[in-house]
Amino acid sequence: EEHADTVESKIGLGRLGLLLDRLPAAEQFLQQAVEYRKTHLGEEHPDYGHALLYYGALLTRLGRYKEAQENLEKAVGIYKKCLGERHPDTATALNYLGLLHTDTLDFEDAKRYLSQAVYIRKSSFGENHYETAASMHDFGKLCWQRGVMGDSAQ
């Protein structure tokens, strides 16, 4: 049986695989982390949500949007229930959902999720925090993309 620290390392390796574009390895690590945390912590534990979050981000990157959305929505639900609607982890999950919807050109849902993430992060960290800036950047990118796409994407 694996130790919880090993599972946390697998999440880190999965995130690194995402950054280095080593997606098959990232998927393997993140799948293992999701299964371990689901089995050992339960489906309502924030650490299970953490694993779902990064697995959802990977699935978005792989273009497996339906699976990604399911994982990210579960993460949001867990965070809202366990940590609250205005917790920074909730904002992170909402931000990933916004990015997913940006990728699928569903600009209305992307705007809804990204604007929620910006609001929570501004409230939690202030306007000058890097996480607030990251969400504002993603929201600005959405607005730019939406403007470039024009009516054809709406």
Side-chain angles (χ1 to χ4, degrees):
E1 186 154 329
E2 292 193 63
H3 190 276
D5 289 344
T6 304
V7 175
E8 187 63 33
S9 294
K10 286 185 178 190
I11 289 176
L13 288 169
R15 291 177 68 191
L16 181 62
L18 259 168
L19 290 171
L20 298 176
D21 207 30
R22 295 186 179 170
L23 303 182
E27 183 171 16
Q28 179 183 351
F29 287 126
L30 292 170
Q31 277 179 334
Q32 290 171 1
V34 167
E35 287 307 313
Y36 176 90
R37 286 189 169 169
K38 180 178 180 181
T39 302
H40 292 87
L41 301 176
E43 293 187 44
E44 295 185 1
H45 196 283
D47 286 346
Y48 175 60
H50 186 66
L52 289 170
L53 176 76
Y54 292 111
Y55 188 50
L58 169 74
L59 293 169
T60 299
R61 182 88 176 276
L62 292 170
R64 291 163 44 192
Y65 299 116
K66 184 177 180 192
E67 291 175 81
Q69 184 170 349
E70 290 169 3
N71 282 273
L72 293 171
E73 286 176 350
K74 281 183 193 176
V76 168
I78 292 166
Y79 291 148
K80 283 184 176 181
K81 183 176 181 180
C82 296
L83 305 174
E85 296 213 7
R86 295 185 180 192
H87 191 277
D89 289 349
T90 304
T92 299
L94 290 166
N95 202 84
Y96 276 112
L97 265 173
L99 294 173
L100 178 147
H101 287 287
T102 300
D103 285 357
T104 61
L105 306 181
D106 180 357
F107 294 129
E108 290 308 311
D109 279 343
K111 179 181 175 184
R112 181 167 48 97
Y113 291 124
L114 290 171
S115 63
Q116 288 176 51
V118 168
Y119 175 79
I120 294 167
R121 286 179 167 173
K122 272 187 182 180
S123 299
S124 298
F125 302 123
E127 282 194 23
N128 296 321
H129 192 274
Y130 74 94
E131 288 195 28
T132 305
S135 285
M136 291 173 75
H137 168 80
D138 292 337
F139 189 79
K141 187 175 165 185
L142 165 69
C143 292
W144 177 84
Q145 187 174 351
R146 187 175 183 173
V148 169
M149 298 287 183
D151 294 337
S152 64
Q154 293 181 12

